[in-house]
Amino acid sequence: MTNTTTHDLSGPLGRAAGVRRRFRIWRGTRPFWAGALTISASAPIIYFPYTHLSLGGLPLALSTTAGAGALLIGILLIVLGVTLWLQQQSRVFAGAAAIVLSLVSVPVANFGGFLLGMLPGLVGGSLACAWSPPDEAWWAAEAPTLVERFAGSEAQSPGMASVNHAGGGHGGE
């Protein structure tokens, strides 16, 4: 059974697929999720010292001298997250700095933004320290397109071919 359907990839869907593929390649060459978590950790750390909360009609003031420290920690976390995306060579430094800043935010910035900022900062920094660039062999193997993935039942992955033919016969000997 063969797939005879042809798809025109020159239209808007083809351009969108090309943009998505380029983004996936860009994302694969850097610690993307570490940067995203590090940037997202800054939002609660910056937000809570500058907002006025009320708990059952009782005003809860969190804006103390920690406001300046929280703003500084939040801005530094944003800078470290962008650094992870744009300068992946400095991932270990940026990851370690994100971990230290997330831990410092506990006493300085309202328990690290009530742990909503500290935890993503710790995870993002840890991911940055653990990330390594992909091997060249990974880039050499061309990923199948969506059409090729769902082409038909006769399409067999290379790993299965070696398993099916490696150990001898399942009959027919």
Side-chain angles (χ1 to χ4, degrees), residues 20-97:
R20 181 175 181 268
R21 185 173 186 89
R22 284 191 302 275
F23 176 71
R24 287 182 62 202
I25 290 171
W26 178 83
R27 188 183 70 195
T29 60
R30 58 203 73 241
F32 178 78
W33 293 111
L37 283 171
T38 303
I39 291 171
S40 70
S42 67
I45 290 174
I46 292 174
Y47 177 74
F48 287 120
Y50 292 103
T51 188
H52 297 287
L53 302 173
S54 64
L55 184 63
L58 181 66
L60 185 62
L62 298 172
S63 57
T64 61
T65 58
L71 183 63
L72 181 64
I73 290 171
I75 289 174
L76 286 174
L77 284 173
I78 291 171
V79 168
L80 289 172
V82 171
T83 301
L84 287 171
W85 284 348
L86 301 178
Q87 296 292 325
Q88 58 271 25
Q89 298 86 4
S90 61
R91 67 185 179 277
V92 176
F93 168 74

Side-chain angles (χ1 to χ4, degrees), residues 6 8 19 32 35 49 58 67 77-79 93-94 108 119 131 143 155 170:
T6 59
D8 180 25
V19 168
F32 178 78
L58 181 66
L77 284 173
I78 291 171
V79 168
F93 168 74
V108 171
L119 293 178
W131 184 84
H170 285 5

